[in-house]
C-alpha cells in the first residue's frame, strides 16, 4: 500500500496600510498579472509549487484594513501559525511603518520571516529613501529582506 506524501503548507500573511497594494502584490506573484481592482475584504490565495521534489502549498492571507486601531484586535488569530509576513507599504507614504512592524512584533510568531515590500516604486520620492533605510536598519533583527517593486513591470 502506497503512503501518499503529505503536502507541506506554508502560511504567508500580506499585511500593511490601506491602499498599499497587498492584494496586488500577491495576485501578481500567483497569477502573473496586474489588476487595478481594489480588494475590500480579507482574502486568501494558494500557490502550489514543487521544491526539491516536495509539493508545497503557499497559502497567502491578505488582511484588509481601513487603518483603524480597533481592527487590529483580531491580529493574533490572523497571524496564528504564520511562517512569513509580507509587510507591504506604499513608497509614497512610508512614515507609519513603525506602527505596522510593532503590530507584527506583538502578534506574529517570533520565528515568522518578515519581508518588507515597498510597492509603487514609480511614485517613490527620493527623500523617503533614507527614512526607509533607517527603518530597515533599526528593525534588522526582524526584517529578513527589503524589496522595492513596481507591479506593472515584474
Amino acid at each position: 500500500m502506497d503512503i501518499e506524501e503529505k503536502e507541506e503548507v506554508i502560511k504567508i500573511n500580506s499585511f500593511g496600510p490601506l491602499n498599499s497594494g497587498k492584494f496586488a502584490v500577491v495576485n501578481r506573484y500567483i497569477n502573473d498579472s496586474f489588476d487595478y481592482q481594489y480588494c475590500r475584504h480579507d482574502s486568501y490565495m494558494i500557490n502550489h509549487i514543487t521544491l526539491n521534489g516536495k509539493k508545497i502549498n503557499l497559502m497567502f492571507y491578505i488582511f484588509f484594513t481601513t487603518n483603524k486601531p480597533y481592527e487590529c484586535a483580531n491580529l493574533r488569530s490572523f497571524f496564528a501559525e504564520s511562517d512569513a509576513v509580507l509587510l507591504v507599504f506604499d513608497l509614497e507614504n512610508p512614515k507609519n511603518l513603525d506602527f505596522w512592524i510593532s503590530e507584527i512584533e506583538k502578534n506574529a510568531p517570533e520565528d515568522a520571516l518578515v519581508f518588507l515590500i515597498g510597492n509603487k516604486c514609480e511614485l517613490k520620492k527620493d527623500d523617503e529613501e533614507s527614512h526607509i533605510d533607517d527603518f530597515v536598519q533599526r528593525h534588522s533583527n526582524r526584517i529578513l529582506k527589503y524589496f522595492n517593486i513596481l507591479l506593472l513591470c515584474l
Side-chain angles (χ1 to χ4, degrees), residues 16-35:
L18 181 68
N19 295 327
S20 59
K22 299 175 290 290
F23 181 84
V25 167
V26 174
N27 186 49
R28 182 70 161 134
Y29 169 71
I30 291 179
N31 298 314
D32 195 23
S33 66
F34 178 77
D35 189 345

Side-chain angles (χ1 to χ4, degrees), residues 30-127:
I30 291 179
N31 298 314
D32 195 23
S33 66
F34 178 77
D35 189 345
Y36 285 99
Q37 179 183 6
Y38 181 70
C39 181
R40 297 182 185 274
H41 53 81
D42 293 349
S43 58
Y44 71 94
M45 294 184 191
I46 302 171
N47 191 23
H48 307 283
I49 65 170
T50 301
L51 184 62
N52 297 328
K54 188 173 187 174
K55 294 178 181 178
I56 300 173
N57 291 326
L58 299 176
M59 302 283 294
F60 289 88
Y61 293 86
I62 299 121
F63 185 77
F64 174 76
T65 179
T66 58
N67 296 339
K68 303 280 192 272
Y70 64 83
E71 290 177 330
C72 295
N74 294 328
L75 285 180
R76 185 145 324 260
S77 61
F78 173 73
F79 282 119
E81 301 177 11
S82 293
D83 296 297
V85 178
L86 308 178
L87 175 51
V88 181
F89 71 98
D90 183 338
L91 280 161
E92 233 183 356
N93 186 19
K95 300 248 187 271
N96 59 359
L97 286 172
D98 285 307
F99 168 78
W100 295 100
I101 196 75
S102 71
E103 291 301 318
I104 292 169
E105 289 171 344
K106 286 189 288 190
N107 295 292
E110 284 185 31
D111 61 347
L113 304 175
V114 178
F115 298 90
L116 182 64
I117 300 178
N119 191 18
K120 307 175 188 178
C121 69
E122 74 279 13
L123 304 174
K124 180 177 69 171
K125 300 173 186 173
D126 290 333
D127 60 332

